[in-house]
Amino acid sequence: METTAGLTFRDATDADVDTLVALVESAYRGDDSRAGWTTEADILEGQRTDPEGVLAVIKSPDSRVLTVEREGQVVACCQIEHRGMYAYFGMFAVSPTLQGGGLGKVIIAEAERIARETWGVTEMHMTVISVRDDLVAWYERRGYRRTGEMTPFPYGDERFGVPQRDDLQFELLVKPLV
């Protein structure tokens, strides 16, 4: 466990699955997500993740799910996955009532540091729904760049939500970690 700015970072365990699913759902879907700025409630309904998906990421040998606590409460999480010369950053969620206060900046910086120091990677990759201009801009301010490389949204697979529009796709964002 490492402590940064009053936060405790630790690897998630099987016991964290339900808490992490609830956190991710609250940050992106439904009315609770509207308390923060990362909501996807206007473009996607249904679930963002499920216990099976979160458990699979926790169990993956090349992946870590960082669980972030403040005063004993889980307030954020993210996934970092080793993929050769780069790491993938995903499943990033900050409690909606704590968004906008700088917590996300600290967490992403710590995830980048861990990926660089643990795996020696030179880049961090992530995918973001391309129509999320505010979110893409936030990542750009953190040093990520748009690549224009798109992958289709999994329409018809409700494990990823129920799209409310027909133009959703994921864009690859990349940041050098050197």
Side-chain angles (χ1 to χ4, degrees):
M1 279 197 276
E2 300 186 38
T3 304
T4 304
L7 303 174
T8 302
F9 292 79
R10 63 175 175 80
D11 287 331
T13 68
D14 297 10
D16 294 311
V17 168
D18 290 341
T19 299
L20 295 177
V21 169
L23 173 65
V24 170
E25 293 298 313
S26 75
Y28 292 97
R29 301 290 163 81
D31 287 336
D32 288 349
S33 71
R34 295 182 194 281
W37 68 272
T38 62
T39 184
E40 295 171 342
D42 294 330
I43 61 172
L44 289 158
E45 292 181 353
Q47 71 179 31
R48 173 83 191 263
T49 191
D50 55 37
E52 295 78 18
V54 172
L55 184 60
V57 174
I58 290 172
K59 295 287 194 191
S60 172
D62 294 323
S63 185
R64 293 176 69 178
V65 176
L66 298 179
T67 301
V68 185
E69 296 179 345
R70 178 186 280 159
E71 298 174 3
Q73 296 294 314
V74 174
V75 296
C77 67
C78 67
Q79 169 200 13
I80 50 176
E81 182 177 333
H82 187 207
R83 295 185 179 177
M85 291 308 297
Y86 71 91
Y88 179 80
F89 180 81
M91 207 170 77
F92 187 29
V94 174
S95 177
T97 59
L98 299 175
Q99 291 176 15
L103 192 56
K105 294 175 196 174
V106 173
I107 294 164
I108 196 168
E110 182 67 2
E112 291 165 356
R113 183 194 69 76
I114 290 170
R116 186 176 53 250
E117 292 180 8
T118 303
W119 298 315
V121 296
T122 57
E123 287 184 335
M124 186 76 88
H125 292 197
M126 72 172 70
T127 55
V128 178
I129 296 174
S130 62
V131 298
R132 298 288 319 276
D133 294 330
D134 53 348
L135 189 58
V136 170
W138 188 87
Y139 285 121
E140 287 178 316
R141 291 191 300 274
R142 312 278 89 66
Y144 288 81
R145 64 177 170 74
R146 299 183 89 149
T147 65
E149 185 177 322
M150 303 290 183
T151 54
F153 186 87
Y155 284 92
D157 188 341
E158 292 192 6
R159 292 177 304 157
F160 301 100
V162 180
Q164 299 304 295
R165 46 194 289 179
D166 62 6
D167 63 344
L168 301 182
Q169 56 187 342
F170 294 104
E171 182 171 5
L172 175 66
L173 305 182
V174 176
K175 178 180 180 176
L177 295 181
V178 290

